[in-house]
Amino acid sequence: PVIEVDNLEEFVLRPAAQGVTIKCRVTRDKKGMDRGLYPTYYLHLDNDKKVFLLAGRKRKKSKTSNYLISIDPTDLSRGGENFIGKLRSNLMGTKFTVFDNGANPDRANADWSNVRQELSAVVYETNVLGFKGPRKMTVIIPGMNSDNERVPIRPRNDNDGLLMRWQNRNMDNVIELHNKAPVWNDETQSYVLNFHGRVTHASVKNFQIVHSSDPDYIVMQFGRVADDAFTMDYNYPLCAVQAFAIALSSFDGKLACE
């Protein structure tokens, strides 16, 4: 199916249609003085038109890792109207939360309708041995309603977000996903996943996200195809902002065990 992007802002927040895999490409741009530390990441549809979807960049002077996500490749400012979401880590750099561009709960209006939604959370299990094996990821996303729309989760404080709900096993309207465990391959002496030709370079950053009840349904996959290029494919119920933010979390410095 041809994927049409009429309204970019709407498209990147809308869950993929059921039965349609949205194939994308992430490129990392390290040019410039501080880009080595703060590269910009771009997301495009991986088709003939190479339609631009999102850009992301780590904010400087932030105590924790904080990435801004924008629908304009040239405007990665917090105050701009192109700001569409952000990814924030905890101090350890092992847990991440993805927000849309709504207001901080401190600035809520009377009915909370302007308050930011949490779109996803990602938890990485730290590997105490520093072993270069596969990482364990848990992805927590809001549930879907009967119209296949995301249930809005607008936490009023830090104790009400996706991470806390997951930790307290309060899983109403919350879906828990995991990365698929790679299988050891004797021939290549490495852990591998079958990406069906979409990934060409081995990397610890390659992953597939599945639900435990149906490990063959790939909700999202991400993997390297060149030094600074990656494929990122996502399916229902994810949207582009969720998938891109999950991919950005996997680049974060404290996790890299390469």
Side-chain angles (χ1 to χ4, degrees):
V2 177
I3 295 174
E4 289 296 332
V5 181
D6 312 326
N7 174 336
L8 183 55
E9 184 168 357
E10 196 182 287
F11 177 84
V12 294
L13 287 166
R14 189 171 62 227
Q18 284 176 308
V20 178
T21 298
I22 300 186
K23 296 183 175 180
C24 306
R25 198 174 176 91
V26 174
T27 45
R28 176 170 55 186
D29 176 7
K30 292 180 177 166
K31 295 185 202 74
M33 283 293 288
D34 56 3
R35 287 285 177 85
L37 291 171
Y38 300 99
T40 305
Y41 298 91
Y42 299 104
L43 181 71
H44 290 81
L45 283 180
D46 198 1
N47 58 12
D48 302 341
K49 293 184 183 160
K50 300 272 183 281
V51 179
F52 168 81
L53 297 177
L54 293 165
R57 189 171 187 209
K58 196 170 186 171
R59 292 181 75 176
K60 301 171 195 174
K61 302 189 179 63
S62 206
K63 286 196 191 74
T64 59
S65 294
N66 208 320
Y67 293 78
L68 283 187
I69 299 173
S70 168
I71 49 174
D72 182 324
T74 59
D75 172 22
L76 281 147
S77 63
R78 176 74 177 79
E81 55 197 42
N82 297 303
F83 167 67
I84 195 147
K86 73 171 185 179
L87 167 75
R88 189 179 73 194
S89 83
N90 64 350
L91 279 168
M92 294 287 294
T94 52
K95 293 176 181 169
F96 294 80
T97 303
V98 184
F99 301 96
D100 71 1
N101 56 1
N104 191 308
D106 305 343
R107 294 191 286 280
N109 57 15
D111 63 356
W112 284 78
S113 60
N114 67 331
V115 171
R116 63 189 181 197
Q117 292 185 39
E118 284 194 12
L119 298 177
S120 175
V122 190
V123 179
Y124 289 88
E125 271 181 47
T126 44
N127 209 320
V128 280
L129 301 172
F131 171 61
K132 285 184 166 21
R135 301 190 284 210
K136 277 193 175 169
M137 297 167 72
T138 301
V139 173
I140 305 131
I141 57 171
M144 308 300 282
N145 67 17
S146 53
D147 297 328
N148 294 332
E149 291 164 350
R150 201 168 36 244
V151 175
I153 292 194
R154 291 194 172 90
R156 301 194 166 210
N157 55 52
D158 288 344
N159 297 323
D160 183 32
L162 287 167
L163 285 169
M164 287 306 284
R165 292 182 189 203
W166 172 75
Q167 280 165 341
N168 298 330
R169 305 312 295 160
N170 169 13
M171 301 299 283
D172 289 346
N173 290 325
V174 176
I175 299 170
E176 178 180 335
L177 305 165
H178 293 274
N179 63 323
K180 197 168 185 173
V183 184
W184 180 257
N185 179 325
D186 277 338
E187 215 171 294
T188 59
Q189 290 290 300
S190 61
Y191 287 95
V192 292
L193 289 162
N194 183 358
F195 286 92
H196 300 286
R198 289 286 289 155
V199 173
T200 52
H201 286 47
S203 165
V204 301
K205 291 191 170 73
N206 299 350
F207 62 83
Q208 289 176 325
I209 301 291
V210 294
H211 191 280
S212 54
S213 68
D214 185 2
D216 293 328
Y217 177 72
I218 308 290
V219 179
M220 170 184 176
Q221 67 177 22
F222 178 79
R224 185 181 293 231
V225 289
D227 278 352
D228 287 307
F230 306 80
T231 49
M232 182 194 97
D233 302 343
Y234 68 93
N235 284 294
Y236 179 85
L238 287 187
C239 70
V241 172
Q242 286 169 316
F244 185 49
I246 293 165
L248 287 178
S249 76
S250 76
F251 286 113
D252 200 55
K254 292 191 178 147
L255 297 167
C257 49
E258 291 183 283

